[in-house]
Amino acid sequence: MFVTTTKNLVAGDQLFLSYVSKLHAYPKRKEVLSSFSFKCTCRLCILDQTELENNFQERQRLAEKYDPEYYAQAIRGSANTMAQLEKHIQDIKNTYVDPDRPHTMEVFMPLITLASLYANKTSFPEKALKAYLECMRILGFDFDVDEYKSKQSPPLSTESMNFIVQYQGSFDDIHSDIFIHICKHAYSLGYEKLARIALSISRLCAKIFKGLSENEHDKIHIGVGFPKQILLFHDSTQLIDK
Ligand SMILES: [Zn+2]
């Protein structure tokens, strides 16, 4: 059996793994965990305990309003589809007691679709970046985006940096793609440091999840529209527990 960890270990350290994805809704997580006789007291579960039963049902109803086929079509959608998705996301968020709290998968699917739509309509790069960053937060990555958003003038030196990012979640192959989108949009908007940290996390995810080297990772993304200059940076990111 092989295990890839998200941080360095020393002999004797305890290993943790998720029994259930944090992206599932609370009732589902609770059901799975109770079959292992767990009562989870993580930050998300504590928050979810304050949510109302009716809201879980309403959120579930909203999440089922659109099927995978809808999202497959929506990617090629118009301004109308964007407005529809914006409203749908807001409707789902309104089912939470605190609409600004961390969200789960119900918001993720419409949000990532909306992000791609914003990205395809080049007049909305800020909106695309914001939506991808929110997807990143849903996946469990947490860092102060504003700290990295200052525009660099003159450009940063190519000297390597080491970033530290709080992370709590389970890895999935979608992670690397989201960070590549963040990297591309941040760079095009002049947020060089944000682009660098995103690239670094994308490479880290590709390494952990697919066993790809930096070179192999970069080769996949060099193509139409991806800024080659950013690939000159070789920063590293360390993931730490929240
Ligand atoms: Zn929990």
Side-chain angles (χ1 to χ4, degrees), residues 69-114:
E69 185 59 29
Y70 169 84
Y71 290 111
Q73 298 289 332
I75 300 247
R76 293 183 290 280
S78 59
N80 227 356
T81 321
M82 272 193 253
Q84 199 171 35
L85 285 171
E86 282 164 357
K87 182 180 180 307
H88 185 57
I89 291 165
Q90 199 49 55
D91 285 347
I92 297 175
K93 286 184 178 176
N94 288 344
T95 65
Y96 289 97
V97 172
D98 173 6
D100 293 325
R101 51 153 286 167
H103 299 107
T104 47
M105 207 58 183
E106 295 93 347
V107 177
F108 187 85
M109 203 50 212
L111 190 62
I112 189 94
T113 309
L114 185 59

Side-chain angles (χ1 to χ4, degrees), residues 7 22 66 83 98 100 115 117 126 156-157 199 203 207:
K7 62 177 186 182
K22 71 186 271 289
Y66 298 120
D98 173 6
D100 293 325
L117 265 172
E126 273 286 358
L156 294 173
S157 84
L199 175 64
R203 283 170 173 161
K207 183 177 161 193

Side-chain angles (χ1 to χ4, degrees), residues 29 33 40-45:
R29 300 201 313 275
L33 290 175
C40 187
T41 54
C42 76
R43 198 164 66 100
L44 188 64
C45 288

